Amino acid sequence: MEFIFINYRRNDNRSHVARCEIQALPLRTLRWYGPVLLAAFRVPFGLIAPDSVFPQRHEETWIACGTPSSDNVRKRLTMQPAPILSGIGTSLPDHVVTNDDLAAHLDTSDEWIRTRTGIRERRAVAPGTATGDLAYAAAQGALKSAGSAAVDLVILATTTPDHPCPATAPHVAQRLGLTGVPAWDLGAVCSGFVYGLACASSFVCSGAASRVLLIGADTYSTITDPGDRSTRAIFGDGAGAVVIRAGTADEAGAIGPVTLGSDGSLKDAILVDAGGSRHPLAGRGSAQESQYFTMQGRTVFRHAVERMSQSAEEVRTEVGWSTDDVDCLVAHQANARIIDAVAARMGLAPERCARSIERLGNTAAASIPLALAEAARSGQLRAGSRVLLTAFGGGATWGAAALTWPDVSPVSI
């Protein structure tokens, strides 16, 4: 049994403390999603303040304006939905590109790539296949895994949309028979899936949506320089999708808390220079290299390890897990050495890390759902497993989330 103390200030400026027993919704969830929860039961909120009434609890008090009775607040809070992962699907191109394939036309070797990245092979789309095609297939798998094709909104995390304009998500939704459903692209590069989790979870917690389809899909083979061994060897194409539904926080599949961050001073560390309004493609002459993806490897490595481990630790502490409680760390599959370094900083054994990097490479926004699906298929994840997700991407952006793994079977299409 958990408690939250809500300080209500009435119109006559007198205040009282309402003590509400919360059984169905953990206090940590209320702290993370408190603003949308208060908005959901139509109590305008002001700020979060330290608990001066019960300081020994080291918790927080929600300061709100309005005159709801404590009984009404208790009833609405205990009924507030929590985000639950209820289905997962994946899609990969058929074409496999091995290290030896790359070595045939680049100044590299299988040994050079494996020792620096941990990657043996990756997938690449065929000409004419776009990110939206992989996203559509992965979404079909997720909906089949969840047992229902009905959703209230669609979010597609990607850096490689089918077109600069319009967004790819509405077309994916239309192909799924979801015309009329809100759909949009989300651009947080390799952190996109975690950013999407935060967005989808907020919609569910606020009651604005009961089922959300979240897709992470990228085709970096279309934006990497064919002659650049440092990027061509790392990235692969793929898509992963999940369905997030409304449920209760004590269910397997419960998501949260989620933490996000960014640092725009690192905008050049991961970059496609041309194609936006700052450097339009029109009139750029022969500067074709500016249309390709570039990355400052050492800078990215250092910041990725720091931010991914830091944000994962924040979530672990917030959710109340010890290091031993964590069954699986699912880090963005950027590089095997980055995954190892993050795990080491957190005191986690390497065998508790999910890995798809060796077979799939870095699939950007798709890497976390693809790694989750692979871990579930291999038995590394079982119903009830306590999972930490963490990612770092261009922007720079980063984020982490906690997840209790549900009893679901991934579907690959």
Side-chain angles (χ1 to χ4, degrees), residues 116-140:
R116 287 163 176 77
T117 68
I119 301 169
R120 291 182 180 273
E121 61 186 39
R122 73 286 296 146
R123 302 295 182 95
V125 293
T129 300
T131 296
D133 300 318
L134 297 183
Y136 168 65
Q140 285 183 303

Side-chain angles (χ1 to χ4, degrees), residues 175-236:
R175 293 175 67 181
L176 292 167
L178 298 171
T179 298
V181 169
W184 64 86
D185 291 0
L186 187 156
V189 196
C190 298
S191 303
F193 185 79
V194 176
Y195 267 66
L197 275 182
C199 188
S201 296
S202 295
F203 270 87
V204 168
C205 287
S206 70
S210 60
R211 289 171 60 85
V212 180
L213 174 62
L214 169 62
I215 312 165
D218 271 307
T219 52
Y220 267 58
S221 66
T222 64
I223 63 170
T224 51
D225 185 343
D228 179 10
R229 69 175 183 175
S230 63
T231 57
R232 198 68 171 178
I234 293 174
F235 290 94

Side-chain angles (χ1 to χ4, degrees), residues 183-336:
W184 64 86
D185 291 0
L186 187 156
V189 196
C190 298
S191 303
F193 185 79
V194 176
Y195 267 66
L197 275 182
C199 188
S201 296
S202 295
F203 270 87
V204 168
C205 287
S206 70
S210 60
R211 289 171 60 85
V212 180
L213 174 62
L214 169 62
I215 312 165
D218 271 307
T219 52
Y220 267 58
S221 66
T222 64
I223 63 170
T224 51
D225 185 343
D228 179 10
R229 69 175 183 175
S230 63
T231 57
R232 198 68 171 178
I234 293 174
F235 290 94
D237 302 339
V242 296
V243 174
I244 300 169
R245 64 166 176 82
T248 58
D250 57 354
E251 289 184 67
I255 300 166
V258 182
T259 184
L260 304 174
S262 71
D263 181 358
S265 70
L266 297 172
K267 66 181 181 65
D268 293 333
I270 298 172
L271 180 70
V272 177
D273 186 49
S277 60
R278 187 166 300 280
H279 296 300
L281 288 177
R284 287 189 63 87
S286 61
Q288 185 174 1
E289 65 276 4
S290 64
Q291 303 173 32
Y292 292 130
F293 175 91
T294 62
M295 182 170 61
Q296 298 171 10
R298 292 182 179 179
T299 299
V300 171
F301 188 100
R302 183 174 71 256
H303 286 281
V305 172
E306 178 182 353
R307 294 301 189 179
M308 288 168 68
S309 57
Q310 182 183 60
S311 58
E313 282 288 86
E314 288 176 4
V315 167
R316 183 191 62 76
T317 301
E318 179 66 22
V319 81
W321 295 345
S322 69
T323 301
D324 290 340
D325 289 332
V326 178
D327 296 308
C328 189
L329 173 68
V330 184
H332 164 52
Q333 305 290 293
N335 179 305

